[in-house]
Structure formats: structure tokens, C-alpha cells
Amino acid sequence: MASGWVFLAPTNSIHLLVTPWVACLLQVYRSRHDFITDMRLLAQNALQFNGPGHEVYLCASEMRDFVLHDLRDRDEEMGQLESTLGTLEESKASLDESQSEIDRDMEMIASREQASKAQLATHTPHE
């Protein structure tokens, strides 16, 4: 998309320190709704920080409109992907919990093994 060129390079870092753009840049998209919200926010911020006739705002508006139209056309496909992502996240959370339990069990086994070795060392008959 031709309008996206404006957003390929980061904004001047000094400018980032004194504006709300920092919060916008730190977003993580967990759903289509989050992404759409951010696309709208991008256009709103471009208007607020640059003005209605500025090239940055015009590019942001065009990009927002393109994304909204494209996502509307892919509604069913996006719904299936979001459903799959939700299932994968649930599976990952379950696996992470299982791995944590395994790690705790392994630490307990190692601790018991060390205690047994220490006990055997103190009760070993000397020649």
C-alpha cells in the first residue's frame, strides 16, 4: 500500500519523549478489534498532531480505510483465525503450567537426591 510509507520509519525520538505516541507504539494486537482500534487511533493521532490537510494524516486515513474495508471482506476468515489463535493460546497456557509443575517436581527430586547423598556420606562406615 502506497500510503504506508509514512509509517515505515520511527518518529523522531525526541518527539516521542514528549507526546502520547509512546503509548500508541507499545500496543500488542490480541484480536482484530484491537488492531482496528489502533488503526482508528493512528488516523486520529495523525489528525491531532499534524492537521487535516497534512500528508501524514491523509496517508493514515487512507491506510485506516483500506484496512477496515479489507477486514470487512475477510470477516469469516479472520473469525476462524482468531478462534484458532484463542485455542492455541489456551493450549500454550496449559503446557506452560504443566512445564512449571514438571520443573517443580524435578527440583524436589534433585533436592531429595542431594539430601540422600549427604545422609549416606555421614553414615558411611570408615575403614
Side-chain angles (χ1 to χ4, degrees):
M1 161 183 276
S3 301
W5 72 268
V6 170
F7 305 101
L8 291 176
T11 306
N12 179 314
S13 59
I14 300 293
H15 182 68
L16 284 176
L17 296 174
V18 295
T19 68
W21 277 101
V22 175
C24 298
L25 296 172
L26 299 177
Q27 295 297 315
V28 175
Y29 303 114
R30 309 234 2 118
S31 72
R32 174 177 23 160
H33 175 74
D34 291 345
F35 182 69
I36 290 169
T37 299
D38 278 353
M39 289 305 300
R40 288 181 173 142
L41 182 61
L42 178 79
Q44 178 184 342
N45 286 341
L47 174 63
Q48 179 181 348
F49 291 107
N50 300 287
H54 196 278
E55 185 175 20
V56 171
Y57 172 67
L58 297 173
C59 289
S61 294
E62 184 180 333
M63 199 164 69
R64 176 204 57 214
D65 294 345
F66 174 83
V67 166
L68 292 176
H69 178 74
D70 192 54
L71 288 177
R72 243 181 272 126
D73 289 347
R74 298 171 181 236
D75 188 58
E76 186 177 331
E77 177 186 356
M78 297 302 291
Q80 290 172 351
L81 289 171
E82 287 171 338
S83 177
T84 300
L85 179 61
T87 302
L88 290 173
E89 287 177 342
E90 290 171 11
S91 296
K92 183 185 179 312
S94 178
L95 288 171
D96 288 346
E97 187 176 321
S98 295
Q99 185 61 51
S100 293
E101 290 174 10
I102 290 169
D103 291 344
R104 283 191 299 272
D105 290 347
M106 294 301 289
E107 288 174 11
M108 184 176 61
I109 290 169
S111 176
R112 287 181 180 169
E113 194 173 87
Q114 281 183 329
S116 293
K117 286 180 181 177
Q119 188 176 19
L120 284 174
T122 59
H123 295 321
T124 302
H126 298 328
E127 291 185 37

